[in-house]
Amino acid sequence: MIPTALRARPATLTATAATALAALLALTGCSPDGGTDAKGDGSATAQPGSALAAVTSLRVKRPATMTGYARNRFGSAWADTDGNGCGTRDDILKRDLRAPSFRGGDCVVVAGTLKKDPYTGHSVRYRRGSSKVDIDHVVALSDAWKKGAAKWPARKRIALANDPLNLIAVDASANRQKSDGDAAAWLPAYKGYRCTYVARQVAVKKKYGLWVTRSEKDAMRQVLAGCPQEKLPGGGNPTEAPARFSAK
């Protein structure tokens, strides 16, 4: 409820009154559309099936150590876990590049254009062998290791490493800047993709049962509070790779 003293006609609301109103809304958790957000995390406006609603289901724990981590603990890179005859890397390039061209069939992508890089918003040209395009694990494998994957069976780690839900083609330099940062440590410079990016991280962590740190969960909420209707993405591969795959 806005006090009578702060009520004014829209045409005559002074700058001082507007400032006071904004401060009051921040203190009371009221939002201009009549909703409330007492926690400041946007949860009151979260829609069923939204990424913001799903954030609440993620467990909060401190990260474990990196002891024992190695890339090969997640299997050989870009294994064909879906059995379509193409490696995972080429599957993602085919999905994300505009007008891809191939060598010797429809698997090996040799060129194409990342029309709008998710991390920078720029167009990036892909050429095999001298590429400025990487395939990024949205939830980095080392981050996953610290937040549950260290105790998984090998076939679950292999599944995560090759799940299309967790993979996107991106500008290589931006990907190197990200490194293995979670949502609290790194977000795309291109703000137009941040909601989609964080929603994917939430979806992957929920799908595989990975936990988050407190600061990571707060960062996810902060981003998704600005887009409370952002859907939680689904799909991807099963959470266990076929029995023919193994890892150390």
Side-chain angles (χ1 to χ4, degrees), residues 173-188:
S173 61
N175 188 39
R176 312 297 162 76
Q177 291 171 12
K178 172 190 172 181
S179 185
D180 64 351
D182 61 21
W186 187 90
L187 291 169

Side-chain angles (χ1 to χ4, degrees), residues 4-247:
T4 303
L6 291 181
R7 293 176 184 164
R9 296 191 185 104
T12 59
L13 185 64
T14 65
T16 301
T19 301
L21 175 59
L24 178 64
L25 293 176
L27 287 171
T28 62
C30 294
S31 60
D33 63 1
T36 59
D37 182 12
K39 294 180 181 179
D41 59 13
S43 58
T45 55
Q47 302 296 313
S50 69
L52 180 57
V55 170
T56 61
S57 69
L58 299 179
R59 290 180 300 148
V60 174
K61 291 178 64 176
R62 292 182 179 180
T65 70
M66 289 293 290
T67 302
Y69 171 78
R71 175 59 179 85
N72 62 14
R73 300 299 299 273
F74 291 80
S76 58
W78 314 128
D80 178 20
T81 56
D82 62 4
N84 69 352
C86 302
T88 301
R89 185 173 188 274
D90 284 306
D91 283 340
I92 303 304
L93 289 170
K94 284 195 291 183
R95 184 194 71 187
D96 292 354
L97 294 182
R98 178 76 59 86
S101 57
F102 303 89
R103 180 180 66 214
D106 62 355
C107 264
V108 182
V109 180
V110 296
T113 301
L114 191 58
K115 189 67 176 178
K116 194 169 190 178
D117 166 48
Y119 289 174
T120 66
H122 302 149
S123 177
V124 184
R125 181 70 178 164
Y126 170 78
R127 289 191 181 279
R128 199 175 193 93
S130 59
S131 177
K132 296 181 180 179
V133 174
D134 280 352
I135 305 301
D136 182 38
H137 289 96
V138 177
V139 173
L141 300 185
S142 55
D143 180 64
W145 181 267
K146 295 181 292 185
K147 296 170 183 175
K151 297 185 181 300
W152 290 354
R155 285 163 58 191
K156 186 174 181 179
R157 291 195 296 268
I158 294 168
L160 174 70
N162 294 279
D163 192 334
L165 181 64
N166 192 35
L167 297 168
I168 51 174
V170 299
D171 175 82
S173 61
N175 188 39
R176 312 297 162 76
Q177 291 171 12
K178 172 190 172 181
S179 185
D180 64 351
D182 61 21
W186 187 90
L187 291 169
Y190 176 48
K191 293 182 179 179
Y193 189 73
R194 286 183 179 179
C195 286
T196 304
Y197 173 77
V198 172
R200 269 187 180 257
Q201 287 196 329
V202 173
V204 171
K205 295 211 163 186
K206 183 176 176 65
K207 178 177 179 178
Y208 283 87
L210 293 163
W211 68 73
V212 293
T213 64
R214 172 55 60 191
S215 60
E216 180 183 3
K217 192 169 189 176
D218 288 346
M220 288 173 162
R221 282 172 166 164
Q222 184 174 357
V223 171
L224 294 172
C227 45
Q229 296 184 358
E230 180 79 27
K231 295 295 185 183
L232 184 73
N237 291 344
T239 57
E240 183 176 74
R244 66 180 182 275
F245 293 96
S246 62

